[in-house]
Amino acid sequence: MDDHLMLGDFALLEPIAQGGMGQVWCARHRTGLEAAVKVMVPEGSARPAWIEALNAEIRAVAGLDHPHIVWIHDAGSVTEQESARSQRQFPAGGPWLAMELARKGTLKDLKVDDWDTASQLLSDLLGALAHAHAKGI
C-alpha cells in the first residue's frame, strides 16, 4: 500500500468515477476490504456549500441500513499530509467518504429486457427509496 495515495486507512487504487463535486476511487482498507472512496475535488474546497453538501450526504447515508443501499465504512477529512502527498489533488480539510464498493455497475449499464427482471429491479429500488424516505431523506 506504500505506493498508493492514502486517505485514513484506505489506499486509493484507481479512480472509477468523476462528478462535479468529487472523485470516486476504488480503494483497499489496510485489512484488505475493498471500498469506494469519494473525495472532494480541489474546486469544491473553495465552496463551503459543496463541503456541507458532501458532509450532509455522509450523515444521511450513514443512518441507512438497507440491502440495496451501500454501507458507509468510514469518513473523515483530508489531512495536510495527505493533501501534500496527493500534490494538492485532495484539498486539506476536504471531506471524504469510504463506502461499500458496488461492482455491478450503474442502472444505465444494466440491460433489462424482460418484465421479471425489470419488476424485481423496480421493487428493489422502491424499497430502498421507501427506507430512505422513512428515515427523513
Side-chain angles (χ1 to χ4, degrees):
M1 288 213 221
D2 293 333
D3 56 339
H4 295 287
L5 291 173
M6 299 289 295
L7 286 180
D9 288 329
F10 293 88
L12 304 182
L13 306 176
E14 63 182 326
I16 54 177
Q18 172 82 37
M21 184 187 311
Q23 247 186 348
V24 179
W25 289 71
C26 179
R28 188 171 317 281
H29 187 265
R30 63 178 172 77
T31 62
L33 173 76
E34 278 193 321
V37 173
K38 184 175 187 175
V39 62
M40 179 76 60
V41 295
E43 302 79 41
S45 66
R47 297 183 176 182
W50 285 20
I51 292 173
E52 181 48 38
L54 186 53
N55 281 324
E57 177 183 338
I58 292 167
R59 288 189 301 273
V61 178
L64 301 177
D65 181 14
H66 189 275
H68 298 294
I69 298 175
V70 296
W71 282 73
I72 299 293
H73 295 307
D74 200 359
S77 296
V78 177
T79 66
E80 180 57 43
Q81 295 83 1
E82 291 166 339
S83 180
R85 280 195 299 267
S86 75
Q87 298 179 336
R88 308 291 176 206
Q89 179 179 355
F90 309 132
W96 59 266
L97 160 69
M99 61 196 131
E100 178 182 3
L101 180 61
R103 287 254 183 224
K104 293 185 180 179
T106 67
L107 288 175
K108 186 175 162 182
D109 299 331
L110 291 177
K111 304 294 183 233
V112 179
D113 55 5
D114 66 277
W115 174 247
D116 289 338
T117 303
S119 174
Q120 184 61 54
L121 178 62
L122 186 57
S123 177
D124 293 345
L125 285 170
L126 290 174
L129 285 170
H131 175 74
H133 182 72
K135 297 286 187 172
I137 298 169

